[in-house]
Amino acid sequence: LEIMGSRERLEETKWALFGKGALAILNAADSVSRRRANELASDPHWFATEEFVPSLPSRGGSAKLTALLEDRVVHRARGKSIEYPVDFQLPGEHNRASAAAAIAGAIDFEVPLDHMLDAIANLELPQGRYDSIPLQNGTRLIYDAYNANASGMIAALDAFASERASRRIAVLGGMAELGSESRELHERVGAHAASRVDLLVIRGEYATDLVRGAIRGGLSPAQIVFVESNVQAAAWLRQHANPDDVILLKGSRKYKLELGR
């Protein structure tokens, strides 16, 4: 947002890709895509994490949809539907949505859906994306600080909320390049975190906005720890984290949360 200037300019720039004839594979949960789909020269291929998505725009009366569910993958086109059971292992609905988009693209390149099943079941995230790291004291660390924006922060917190632990502790750095919306988006992330974690350890330029959102979301000041550096965060965790806790590290690249400084 800082670079593009506004959501509207970002939308127009991305949507212009289709003006050159690029095939549109669109997120059925995205309001902009649903609103603008009729501008396309041909119907898009929709992807989703739910099988039944109401009122998708379609000139032919039956929208093409690929959905990756928790236990199966479904493809509907031209009034026909096929599905296969699948064991999808990656955490978080956002990763399922990304995989559904990739599956839809492969189908449009005429890869049979049943040829993809082993690949879907064995997907692994790149380094730095929700890495689960056991520590010597029994605590588990989830490193997801390759980068961060508001939607990515919220998605990681949603996945983190499903982790089984005595306490869920999130160490949040700031988010960079958000321009004039920086304070509002940090406050929104803080409010979302409040219902997903037991303790927050916060640092970064917009730490006060994260704190304000977290308190608005229901966390007490006693559940929020402010630190000025990664060194302070690591020291606090060494002293206070218990063996049955799970810890999330999430922040923009500029905060280098993998480093103790």
Side-chain angles (χ1 to χ4, degrees):
L1 284 173
E2 182 177 65
I3 295 169
M4 296 303 298
S6 70
R7 292 181 183 273
E8 291 73 22
R9 288 187 64 189
L10 184 60
E11 175 186 325
E12 291 300 329
T13 302
K14 288 188 171 185
W15 207 256
L17 293 170
F18 304 124
K20 300 295 183 180
L23 178 66
I25 299 173
L26 302 180
N27 188 347
D30 178 58
S31 60
V32 172
S33 295
R34 295 169 71 99
R35 171 168 53 83
R36 300 191 62 162
N38 288 329
E39 300 175 20
L40 299 170
S42 59
D43 279 347
H45 188 160
W46 297 95
F47 67 90
T49 56
E50 299 177 6
E51 182 176 358
F52 300 104
V53 182
S55 41
L56 287 172
S58 173
R59 294 174 181 82
S62 178
K64 183 162 60 171
L65 172 71
T66 296
L68 181 59
L69 313 179
E70 292 184 359
D71 60 351
R72 67 193 192 279
V73 59
V74 179
H75 176 66
R76 297 203 317 256
R78 302 182 186 92
K80 297 181 180 180
S81 179
I82 58 173
E83 67 175 70
Y84 295 95
V86 70
D87 183 19
F88 184 72
Q89 295 291 327
L90 299 186
E93 187 170 333
H94 61 301
N95 285 319
R96 248 190 318 131
S98 295
I103 295 166
I107 289 172
D108 285 334
F109 277 109
E110 301 182 352
V111 179
L113 182 55
D114 59 337
H115 289 197
M116 305 182 215
L117 299 180
D118 286 345
I120 295 169
N122 291 290
L123 283 171
E124 295 182 359
L125 292 171
Q127 187 176 4
R129 307 295 180 108
Y130 216 84
D131 286 341
S132 182
I133 304 167
L135 303 182
Q136 290 182 349
N137 69 343
T139 306
R140 188 159 53 90
L141 185 71
I142 294 175
Y143 172 67
D144 192 12
Y146 172 83
N147 213 342
N149 57 24
S151 60
M153 281 272 210
I154 287 170
L157 287 163
D158 285 343
F160 188 57
S162 66
E163 297 287 342
R164 293 183 179 180
S166 61
R167 294 185 304 176
R168 291 184 294 271
I169 304 172
V171 180
L172 301 184
M175 301 176 288
E177 298 180 347
L178 296 180
S180 61
E181 297 189 32
S182 294
R183 295 193 179 282
E184 175 191 347
L185 290 175
H186 280 84
E187 185 170 344
R188 185 185 305 173
V189 166
H192 193 82
S195 62
R196 302 298 191 269
V197 306
D198 299 293
L199 290 168
L200 274 180
V201 180
I202 292 176
R203 66 155 299 198
E205 182 179 356
Y206 296 98
T208 56
D209 302 291
L210 285 167
V211 170
R212 184 166 57 251
I215 291 174
R216 177 167 60 84
L219 283 188
S220 70
Q223 293 173 283
I224 302 170
V225 179
F226 174 78
V227 295
E228 294 185 353
S229 68
N230 293 347
V231 170
Q232 285 188 7
W236 187 92
L237 290 168
R238 287 192 188 98
Q239 183 176 356
H240 296 280
N242 299 321
D244 294 330
D245 293 340
V246 62
I247 301 163
L248 172 68
L249 301 183
K250 185 68 178 171
S252 277
R253 188 87 301 274
K254 69 177 287 186
Y255 294 105
K256 299 180 179 178
L257 292 183
E258 74 279 9
L259 303 178
R261 67 183 186 207

